[in-house]
Amino acid sequence: MKKLLHQKLKYAAAILLCLGGLSAKAQSTVSGVVTSDEDGEGIPGASILVEGTSRGVVTDIDGKYSIDAASDEVLAVSFLGFISQRIEVGNQTTIDVVMKVDAVSLDEVVVVGYGTVRKSDLSGSVSSVKASELSAFPVLSAEQGLQGRAAGVQISSNNGGQPGADFNIKIRGGTSVNASSDPLKVVDGFVGGEMPPAEDIASIEILKDASATAIYGSRGANGVIMVTTKKGKSGQVKIDFNSSYSVQEASNKIDMLSGQEFANYMQEFGDYTYLGSDTDWQKEIYKSGFISNNQLSVSGGSDNVKYYISGTYFDQEGILLGSEYKRYSLNSNVQIDATNWLNVGLSVYGRRSKDTGVRTQEGTGGTGNAGIIGSALRFNPDLGIYDADGAYTISQVGDEIDNPYAMGKEFDRERVTDRMQANTYADFKFTDWLSFKTTLGLGVTSWREGEFWPTTLLKGANANGLGSIDTRKNSSLLTENYFTINKEFDSHRITWVNGFSFQKEERESTSLSSQNFISNSGRFWAMAQGGSPNTPTSELRENILKSFYSRANYSFLDKYIFTFTARYDGASNFANNNKWAFFPSGAVAWDIKGESFMDGVDFLSQMKLRASYGLTGNQAIDPYQSLAVLSPTYSINPGRNALRVGRLANPNLTWETTTQFDIGLDVGLLAGRIHVSADYYKKETADLLFERELPKYGGVATQLQNIGRVENKGFELMLTSKNLDGALKWESDFIISSNKNKVLELPDSTELYGNSPGHMLLPDDTQLLEEGQPVGVFYGYVYDGIYQNGDTFLPGSGFEQEAGGEKFADISGPDGVADGELTADDRRIIGDPNPDFIWSFNNTFSYKNFDLNIFFQGVHGNEMVSFTQMELETLSGKSNATTAALNRWTPSNPNTDMPAASSTRLYRMSSRFVYDASFIRLKNIALGYNFPKPLLDKLNLRSLRVYASAQNLFTITDYPGLDPEVGYGNSGSGSNGNRNIGVDYASYPNVKTFTFGINLGL
């Protein structure tokens, strides 16, 4: 019986197989790997399903899969946050899938203060910048990589292409006048941290409106830059090596008179003999520069421990003789899931940089003080590098200055900076909705700068060697402690953060100098060899900030979002009774697309309206400003110093406060192929921390007071589009923003100040603060051409009254009416350094394994005063001149806009030297090739990309100087960064860069 049953089952199975064979399709094994288009890494857990069947698999930890499928079947590939794909199998046995991030469907989280929020729940104004954008080409710092990447953020170099140059960052304009307007930087939760190299950054969020920044209270008035560094992922160890080599050259030179042309020009001032040479001093100091940038990172981990370690070496030799910059950095992150309720982590960043700097943008270029650029433009072109005795030549006209080659070779300046910051945290998860996080961070920056003027230079020769050394140590201790409630129920979702922050900062500094050195060989390290030491200085500063904060995010039906933020700050910088201040804000957002009446509007994929209002504060002043200070001064008793009143006490000194209103709209079109984000904002800063001038008879020049108001208002627009999505892909980002700055109130309605090189002896009133005007407008005479024979000459002390002389407009007398005479009353506002709008246009093309990036940047409507052009084109015979002097006025050449040569002509602030500094720049163009996966598998590589790029390839501008993107005297924070904008003198030129690089993944 059993035998019969087995035979029947056997026959039945055979029949089923035959029937199955009639209807089944021939199947083969299809395998491959699923990767992300952003980083080329495998995606574990992606779903591979044969459509219309129950057959499916998920990718392994490396993104690999294998599945049986017939030739006429279709694979459906999907993973959360990525665009799903349908792929016909055909005759393929290997199908590699590259998945693109779905910006619409991915409810990604956005980093904000003390946590994250879902992007759909975001009610404030936040711009995000991806890692790929930051490291699109070799950059000196991540700040440089941010240029043009976010709406409402203006970033410019303080000194052109100088190796190690600082960058000036303004988010929605400068909110202050004398206090700092620098944004707050938060690196992995460390407030005031230093941004690591761009290659170590995963993303940056820029918080702009009061709703987003108020959680940082007294530090959020100028915006917040949130930096998230790269972290490890569970899985196999990944090794990435990124290397690039760049060649640089000066992007521009100024056309100067040749040796013979200079001699002919100088003969108009008296008996001058051509000295026989024809030296192009710019050619002598400019050379090809290079950048070598190398980064090696190792990352990986298990389910419980994840790590990321990276080392970067950046080496730049500048295009100017004697300029170099080196940076070594180490960045590491470790995350440990100790239990199911406790996560701990540690991030450590260390950096050493060495800046061998040349002297540029000098405050005075008088006798023995000219920098290398200033000297190259001023120095006699009819002199060579060495004289007949083999010594360096010295100028024969104007101030006695060293030749630029000597400055590049002999001047000795070295700055070494060490930065170490560490931040550790413990995150306790008590329930699925309640957690507590505590952090402890320490940051220390040690800075040392040495300078030596040897006897081979004029300044050193006059002092028989002059050396100085300055040291500074800044340290910061920070602890953050906060609870987070994250709860969802029915149609409600709430995230509530409550915490306390404590931060203490210290700054130590010392300075010493000496002269009369025994020899030049010891440099600034042999201060004991200086026979005449100067009075040393030392300083210690401390300040403490304590804060309580709370933020609640509430979402109802995923359509109505509310955010309420409050922070109570106490700062030791202020007077006893005014140390604490309260900064609240609120925001609402409405997801209009989620409403039922929008169901039929298929072309819209997103439509969200946002509005916010709130207060933020500014306490970015030096400590002890509310206290009276005694300053050292010379004593009548030899060998002893005395004290004098250096500052008066101000018991009422308190916070600057900025109120900001923002309304924004986010729109997605055509299934997310087009995304538009637009914002309008208005900020008003009251109780300005303002250095008010005091009556001169009091013996103290100024006092920091709370007085005055400044307004910033503007709009921002960001348009992201996927223009082509076939075999040829084209994505573009267009950003445009405009900010209008205006002084609303000043203590005395008008204040004049200056920022001109000291040796030019201009009066100290080249710029102006005035109610109703932007901060930093230029102030001077209106240039009205050149006097011709037969003209009526306007009288005025120091003004020319002869044919060929400079002519200025008679605008106003003492009573406000033109009086036929040139006086100080005829000065007017003659320019505005603030741009009307800034923009950038980024395009990324890809075809098969090739990718092409083209990035443009533009600034429009801003003006710049060039003290360089003033010095070279006043034509008073004190220096060399530009080739424009060849067209100077003479009786036989009256039809010109260049005045005659005149030794009595003074340097004068006028509209003649105020120029349109608008520019359009091709910031980057890069062509890359990603090697195909089959080849990589044979080479045992995870990824391999090679690329070539060019930066600053061309600039369209009418500005006659070396570059329109410089800032003389605006480095650092405080009034320098706010008021001294749009000024140029002897600045380091910008550079063209040609780069070749490789990205290798193991």
Side-chain angles (χ1 to χ4, degrees), residues 531-543:
S532 303
N534 299 312
T535 302
T537 62
S538 60
E539 184 180 54
L540 171 65
R541 297 183 180 186
E542 298 178 335
N543 64 282

Side-chain angles (χ1 to χ4, degrees), residues 121 123 493 495 552-556 560-564 586-589:
D121 289 346
S123 56
R493 183 167 56 251
T495 302
N553 295 88
Y554 170 68
S555 173
F556 177 60
Y560 312 108
I561 300 109
F562 303 88
T563 301
F564 303 97
V588 296

Side-chain angles (χ1 to χ4, degrees), residues 751-755 765-770 773-782 827-834 861-867 870 909-911 913-917 959 966 968 979-984:
E751 179 182 318
L752 297 170
Y753 65 97
N755 182 34
D765 52 4
T766 57
Q767 288 150 281
L768 175 71
L769 291 173
E770 184 175 76
Q773 296 294 332
V775 172
V777 291
F778 306 130
Y779 185 69
Y781 296 92
V782 177
R827 293 175 298 172
R828 288 293 179 269
I829 293 173
I830 54 176
D832 181 2
N834 300 281
N862 58 309
E863 291 163 311
M864 179 172 285
V865 59
S866 174
F867 292 118
M870 183 185 296
M909 183 67 175
S910 76
S911 58
F913 300 109
V914 176
Y915 304 94
D916 180 5
Y959 182 65
V966 293
Y968 174 70
R979 304 190 307 172
N980 297 338
I981 51 179
V983 182
D984 184 14

Side-chain angles (χ1 to χ4, degrees), residues 735-887:
I735 296 172
I736 186 169
S737 54
S738 174
N739 181 77
K740 300 297 182 184
N741 173 274
K742 183 167 66 174
V743 177
L744 299 179
E745 180 186 332
L746 288 174
D748 304 302
S749 68
T750 299
E751 179 182 318
L752 297 170
Y753 65 97
N755 182 34
S756 59
H759 69 282
M760 294 180 69
L761 302 178
L762 272 80
D764 190 30
D765 52 4
T766 57
Q767 288 150 281
L768 175 71
L769 291 173
E770 184 175 76
E771 292 178 358
Q773 296 294 332
V775 172
V777 291
F778 306 130
Y779 185 69
Y781 296 92
V782 177
Y783 187 64
D784 202 21
I786 301 170
Y787 282 121
Q788 301 292 340
N789 287 311
D791 285 352
T792 300
F793 304 119
L794 290 173
S797 176
F799 291 91
E800 295 177 281
Q801 298 170 11
E802 57 186 8
E806 290 181 319
K807 181 179 174 183
F808 300 97
D810 174 26
I811 296 175
S812 178
D815 57 358
V817 179
D819 58 359
E821 183 178 359
L822 291 175
T823 65
D825 294 322
D826 292 303
R827 293 175 298 172
R828 288 293 179 269
I829 293 173
I830 54 176
D832 181 2
N834 300 281
D836 293 333
F837 63 94
I838 59 177
W839 62 272
S840 65
F841 188 34
N842 187 47
N843 293 273
T844 302
F845 302 87
S846 60
Y847 178 74
K848 295 185 176 178
N849 293 332
F850 289 93
D851 57 79
L852 175 68
N853 177 261
I854 304 175
F855 180 37
F856 288 94
Q857 183 184 9
V859 177
H860 297 270
N862 58 309
E863 291 163 311
M864 179 172 285
V865 59
S866 174
F867 292 118
T868 299
Q869 301 300 125
M870 183 185 296
E871 188 168 41
L872 301 178
E873 295 182 359
T874 294
L875 304 186
S876 57
K878 297 176 182 177
S879 70
N880 195 9
T882 69
T883 52
L886 299 175
N887 192 36

Side-chain angles (χ1 to χ4, degrees), residues 524-536:
F524 50 80
W525 288 118
M527 299 299 290
Q529 294 182 14
S532 303
N534 299 312
T535 302

